[in-house]
Amino acid sequence: MQTDPKICFFLGANSPSGFYSLYDQLIDPAQARDILILKGGPGCGKSSLMRRVGQAAEERGYQVEYIICSGDPDSLDGVVLPQLQTAIVDGTAPHVVEPKYPGVVERYLNLGECYDKPALMERKRDIIACMSGYRECYARAYRCLTAAAQIGEDMRSLLDTPYLQAKLSKRARGILSRELKKTGGEPGKAVQRFLGGVTWKGVLCQFDTADALCKRVYELCDTYGLAHDLLTRLAAGAMAAGQDVIVCPSPMWPDRMEHLLIPSLSLAFLSSTPALPYEKRPYRRIRLDAMADPELLHRNRARLKFSRKVSAALTEEAVESLAQAKSMHDTLEGLYNPHVDFQRVYDTAGALIQELLEGDGSQG
């Protein structure tokens, strides 16, 4: 039996400037009923608890948005239950989350209490040594990403001409005219989510999430990072027409848009690259590379090819460093796991399921 794809986003990114956080976009505290902020160190069961709550919510027919970890995409950093206006989030570093309305909306849940602290003290020296090497791997990864991003920016700026901007503007007007009708209501709102990330598994993109939310996909074939200006125009036009949008920045350039989702219209605009292509059949395909000045492309073909190769190699080096960090984190969790009372974690998850789901989120 085929299951529907899960809705998965990142709220953090391994970027050239280090860890980049969008965790303030998790859920609007002013509109939320309940936000649980999990505390506790490695291996204490935070991801396991959130996965259990998410699965239970799905089984009861609720929509679940999974926030996956930029360090390890097999792990969770949060779950959002939009219909219940509820979220659970890992509030530990690097994505520290602090309450805005403590005791009214947010509350803490300390899974660190599930540790056998006397037993962990016997492994203190090993734990400290493992954490030190872990940070060094991330520092090297960020240096590699910085160099890769600088080369990528050089390619983009080379092709970003008035000729290109005119073409992008014309194409945006055509799409907005075809796809959008004004609702006559209030302007739409934007929320930010990373759809992709640079992880120890490589450069990933959650295309299945876009497919789950949107049936019509515009594939933007974009080798040189030219999509931002088109997407900015489309997002502005959609919000002006009263549609809410999900803005998806680039992990490599978080101030630049890489994808745009408009679930209310079942419409997505997804950047597709040779290294990370959108492999399904799109509703429409736009070749952004072909919109650049052809003479400029021809004259700089060798330079662009070399730059792409070097940037890819640097990104691969970053991925290798992240893989080393993941290995060290696995070792760290291996030190902690034998000294965690997981039955207590599972009992806590069960109590939350009963409170949040069987009580229909009526608390708060």
Side-chain angles (χ1 to χ4, degrees):
M1 180 178 175
Q2 186 175 1
T3 58
D4 293 333
K6 295 183 184 297
I7 298 173
C8 300
F9 291 105
F10 297 91
L11 278 180
N14 294 309
S15 80
S17 60
F19 180 79
Y20 192 96
S21 176
L22 292 177
Y23 277 81
D24 61 338
Q25 302 275 312
L26 175 74
I27 188 172
D28 183 358
Q31 302 298 322
R33 287 182 174 179
D34 203 356
I35 301 175
L36 284 89
I37 302 173
L38 303 184
K39 295 294 184 178
C44 69
K46 298 186 295 293
S47 182
S48 297
L49 180 145
M50 289 186 283
R51 202 173 297 280
R52 287 195 169 212
V53 174
Q55 181 178 349
E58 285 189 53
E59 290 170 353
R60 288 161 174 76
Y62 292 109
Q63 183 186 46
V64 181
E65 181 182 326
Y66 293 93
I67 305 301
I68 51 182
C69 175
S70 58
D72 179 8
D74 294 328
S75 184
L76 287 181
D77 277 346
V79 290
V80 182
L81 310 175
Q83 292 147 304
L84 301 180
Q85 298 169 301
T86 295
I88 307 175
V89 61
D90 179 352
T92 59
H95 38 77
V96 175
V97 177
E98 296 294 351
K100 186 173 182 180
Y101 307 113
V104 179
V105 176
E106 302 97 340
R107 51 182 166 140
Y108 286 113
L109 182 58
N110 182 15
L111 292 184
E113 295 178 351
C114 299
Y115 286 138
D116 180 346
K117 295 178 183 178
L120 284 175
M121 285 300 295
E122 298 179 8
R123 309 305 303 270
K124 180 178 179 180
R125 187 183 300 272
D126 295 332
I127 288 171
I128 292 174
C130 191
M131 285 189 171
S132 176
Y134 178 74
R135 295 189 188 98
E136 290 172 3
C137 287
Y138 268 94
R140 182 173 185 276
Y142 294 148
R143 288 194 295 269
C144 291
L145 291 179
T146 296
Q150 288 173 341
I151 292 173
E153 180 61 21
D154 179 67
M155 288 190 287
R156 187 196 65 78
S157 61
L158 173 68
L159 301 176
D160 187 9
T161 63
Y163 177 92
L164 172 66
Q165 289 298 325
K167 285 206 162 189
L168 293 174
S169 181
K170 181 178 179 180
R171 182 57 63 94
R173 290 195 299 271
I175 294 171
L176 292 171
S177 174
R178 179 169 56 248
E179 300 290 357
L180 290 169
K181 293 181 180 178
K182 291 188 177 181
T183 63
E186 294 292 319
K189 298 178 180 178
V191 65
Q192 293 190 74
R193 296 283 190 267
F194 287 111
L195 195 60
V198 183
T199 79
W200 75 270
K201 285 188 167 184
V203 182
L204 305 179
C205 187
Q206 301 295 317
F207 287 128
D208 284 348
T209 292
D211 292 329
L213 293 172
C214 305
K215 301 305 179 188
R216 295 182 298 144
V217 171
Y218 277 74
E219 179 187 5
L220 310 180
C221 300
D222 187 15
T223 303
Y224 304 109
L226 306 177
H228 170 76
D229 293 302
L230 175 65
L231 294 173
T232 299
R233 291 177 171 97
L234 294 174
M239 288 188 288
Q243 305 294 339
D244 292 340
V245 302
I246 302 175
V247 169
C248 302
S250 164
M252 292 292 285
W253 299 278
D255 60 337
R256 299 182 62 80
M257 206 183 311
E258 190 168 53
H259 314 283
L260 174 65
L261 310 180
I262 314 175
S264 58
L265 298 178
S266 198
L267 192 61
F269 300 87
L270 304 178
S271 294
S272 176
T273 69
L276 196 58
Y278 178 73
E279 296 182 339
K280 295 183 180 179
R281 186 171 181 175
Y283 168 64
R284 293 181 185 273
R285 180 177 288 115
I286 300 176
R287 301 187 184 279
L288 297 185
D289 299 351
M291 298 172 70
D293 185 333
E295 175 59 29
L296 200 58
L297 278 171
H298 177 75
R299 192 166 62 245
N300 292 279
R301 182 176 298 169
R303 171 183 168 183
L304 291 168
K305 182 179 179 180
F306 176 77
S307 294
R308 285 176 56 197
K309 183 177 180 179
V310 174
S311 181
L314 286 164
T315 301
E316 189 58 37
E317 281 295 306
V319 168
E320 177 60 30
S321 291
L322 293 173
Q324 292 174 11
K326 170 63 165 57
S327 178
M328 290 181 181
H329 189 265
D330 288 346
T331 301
L332 193 61
E333 288 202 333
L335 294 171
Y336 276 96
N337 278 163
H339 310 298
V340 175
D341 183 352
F342 278 102
Q343 188 56 54
R344 185 173 176 181
V345 174
Y346 302 149
D347 290 345
T348 302
L352 282 176
I353 289 167
Q354 185 173 15
E355 176 187 355
L356 299 177
L357 306 180
E358 296 175 8
D360 198 30
S362 58
Q363 80 290 341

